[in-house]
Amino acid sequence: MPSRRTDPVTVEVVELIGDVVSRYHMEYEHAASSHQLTGAQAKVLNLLAMEPMPMRHIARKLHCEPSNVTGIIDRLEARGLVERRPDPADRRVKLAAPTEEGLQTAERLRESLDFAREPLAGLSPEERAALRDLLRRMLA
């Protein structure tokens, strides 16, 4: 009996996941550049469109150094897409938050990401829910 590592189905699933991730990154980079953003800037803007957060939380979510996030926030702020504001819960902490223009840009960016939306539209709501649940289990 072959191990799970060499099981042909497992090998194919791993390759397919790699293909999906690669295509998603290519599409994401293309969508970001169409809005004159880098992929990292677009990711940060999308995170902030969900909720303002301290830069150290952004760094944790993106698995990078806080100094990298500071540079990204500086560039987004210079373009008028992000602002720094005091955290209402702790005024010593600064939150990065999208401006109105930043929210609109994040929305246009999400609308331009067809790669994930189109293939998922071919799945029934039940299949999308099952896929979501399986991916959550894989990441747990």
Side-chain angles (χ1 to χ4, degrees):
M1 179 171 172
S3 74
R4 287 192 302 194
R5 288 184 192 183
T6 59
D7 167 36
V9 173
T10 299
V11 170
E12 185 177 7
V13 167
V14 169
E15 288 175 5
L16 289 168
I17 289 171
D19 290 347
V20 167
V21 168
S22 177
R23 286 180 57 191
Y24 176 78
H25 282 295
M26 286 174 31
E27 174 91 11
Y28 201 89
E29 290 291 330
H30 176 73
S33 69
S34 72
H35 296 283
Q36 292 77 47
L37 297 168
T38 66
Q41 290 170 338
K43 287 175 187 166
V44 168
L45 190 58
N46 275 326
L47 278 175
L48 296 176
M50 290 186 268
E51 67 174 315
M53 62 182 69
M55 287 185 267
R56 69 180 180 279
H57 291 172
I58 298 167
R60 247 185 276 141
K61 286 186 175 284
L62 297 180
H63 307 288
C64 69
E65 293 296 318
S67 60
N68 292 345
V69 172
T70 299
I72 293 168
I73 295 295
D74 288 345
R75 288 184 286 284
L76 290 171
E77 190 173 37
R79 289 199 41 205
L81 300 174
V82 167
E83 63 186 8
R84 289 172 170 96
R85 60 171 83 139
D87 184 341
D90 182 350
R91 299 192 62 77
R92 296 170 296 173
V93 175
K94 290 285 187 192
L95 297 178
T99 62
E100 187 57 39
E101 184 180 352
L103 287 171
Q104 292 170 5
T105 300
E107 179 63 28
R108 286 192 304 272
L109 178 64
R110 275 191 301 277
E111 289 171 0
S112 66
L113 287 172
D114 293 328
F115 168 69
R117 213 178 8 252
E118 288 177 11
L120 288 173
L123 300 176
S124 71
E126 296 80 17
E127 289 170 324
R128 286 193 302 275
L131 178 59
R132 179 206 56 211
D133 295 345
L134 290 168
L135 291 170
R136 283 181 177 168
R137 272 184 46 201
M138 288 175 65
L139 294 172

